[in-house]
Amino acid sequence: MAAELTYQDVAEHNTKKDLYVVIHDVIYDCSKFVDEHPGGEEVLLDVAGQDATEAFEDVGHSDEARETLEAMKVGTLKRKAGDPKPKAAVPGAVSPAANTEGAGIGVGLYAVVLIGGLLAFGAYQYLQQQQAAQSS
């Protein structure tokens, strides 16, 4: 049977050689994976001994990453009064898509300004040539 640990127990495992994280109330020992983590060891050390659910889900880990995580499972979290609330309510929930509408409008605006500037320059050149032809 898997161990049942409290937040206080998990918090004691917060070093590179002894690193536990909580994801969706499941405790994982990531100590042997720190050097292999594609995002770098700092990412894991930042959440060592803590609830890493939000950080884990925000990145959008692959199915392979989730399988690797399963192999590191050491137990479940035993919640006590006063413990921090879970950071994500639904395990496996997809994080909301990033809002990219503002970026699209900005690029479109630059395109309109650039094209408008080119048209104005072309019209100016045309009028200059017409004026020079009339003067001659």
Side-chain angles (χ1 to χ4, degrees):
M1 182 176 148
E4 206 176 50
L5 302 171
T6 64
Y7 261 116
Q8 188 175 354
D9 296 329
V10 173
E12 294 171 7
H13 302 272
N14 61 5
T15 64
K16 182 176 177 177
K17 293 182 193 278
D18 182 22
L19 194 154
Y20 281 15
V21 295
V22 177
I23 300 174
H24 297 298
D25 288 352
V26 178
I27 303 164
Y28 301 95
D29 180 356
C30 299
S31 308
K32 295 177 182 159
F33 188 68
V34 174
D35 292 327
E36 299 172 35
H37 188 257
E41 68 182 47
E42 296 82 18
V43 176
L44 288 175
L45 290 171
D46 285 345
V47 293
Q50 303 173 41
D51 188 334
T53 303
E54 188 174 12
F56 183 82
E57 294 299 344
D58 283 352
V59 172
H61 284 87
S62 65
D63 291 339
E64 184 181 350
R66 293 174 190 277
E67 289 171 16
T68 302
L69 192 63
E70 272 307 303
M72 295 185 267
K73 183 176 176 178
V74 292
T76 56
L77 184 66
K78 180 179 180 181
R79 291 195 172 275
K80 290 184 171 182
D83 282 347
K85 299 274 186 243
K87 297 204 177 170
V90 182
V94 177
S95 58
N99 180 5
T100 57
E101 287 180 27
I105 291 170
V107 171
L109 181 61
Y110 280 121
V112 168
V113 169
L114 180 64
I115 291 170
L118 290 173
L119 287 173
F121 179 73
Y124 174 77
Q125 291 296 323
Y126 175 76
L127 290 174
Q128 288 294 327
Q129 287 177 350
Q130 292 296 329
Q131 195 173 31
Q134 286 177 357
S135 298
S136 306

